[in-house]
Amino acid sequence: MSNDQRPSGTEYALSRAGLLTEAYKGLLIVNGGGIVALLGFLQAIWATSPELARITLCGIALLALGLTAALAIPFLRYHHSHHAQRREQRGESGSKTIYWYLFYCCQWFSIAAFGGGVLYLVINGLAILD
């Protein structure tokens, strides 16, 4: 493959941006969908199993934290892009801004909140069943 057939830096950047956008949508779906599913479950068990209802509410809270972090991602990505562009125009080095670190942390926090919420529900739900 010759050099002229390889993607340009811009094409790689656009590809990464597209992947981040799809990952963002996935975070919204898994955290938001998990909350909706747990709310339906909570309605079914509210009166019959108060202990399981409490555990379910804690799981909802963890997923809600993950959803909140995911909702911040586009805002932080936008501001990072804006500040990185201004830095580049001024000839400054280093493209990572505080917004980059924040949106990066929000992504991982959202994933961890989903995993932690599911793990919490499974471990505590199994303890009730025993």
Side-chain angles (χ1 to χ4, degrees):
M1 177 181 265
S2 67
N3 284 343
D4 58 342
Q5 292 177 335
R6 292 185 183 157
S8 69
T10 302
E11 290 169 327
Y12 279 124
L14 290 173
S15 175
R16 286 190 303 271
L19 290 171
L20 281 174
T21 299
E22 294 305 314
Y24 164 70
K25 291 176 188 177
L27 291 173
L28 292 179
I29 290 169
V30 297
N31 283 297
I35 291 169
V36 170
L38 288 174
L39 285 171
F41 179 69
L42 182 64
Q43 180 184 6
I45 58 132
W46 185 263
T48 58
S49 181
E51 188 177 358
L52 190 55
R54 182 185 52 79
I55 290 169
T56 303
L57 283 170
C58 290
I60 290 170
L62 286 168
L63 295 180
L65 288 172
L67 183 61
T68 302
L71 289 170
I73 291 170
F75 169 79
L76 296 169
R77 280 181 64 195
Y78 170 82
H79 284 286
H80 162 69
S81 175
H82 181 69
H83 285 277
Q85 181 182 8
R86 287 176 48 201
R87 274 185 172 179
E88 185 180 299
Q89 289 170 345
R90 291 190 303 254
E92 296 177 11
S93 63
S95 61
K96 292 181 181 171
T97 67
I98 185 67
Y99 296 107
W100 183 89
Y101 291 103
L102 289 171
F103 92 71
Y104 185 79
C105 289
C106 281
Q107 291 175 109
W108 284 107
F109 180 80
S110 184
I111 293 166
F114 177 77
V118 170
L119 190 61
Y120 175 84
L121 287 166
V122 169
I123 290 170
N124 288 293
L126 287 174
I128 287 176
L129 295 175
D130 287 341

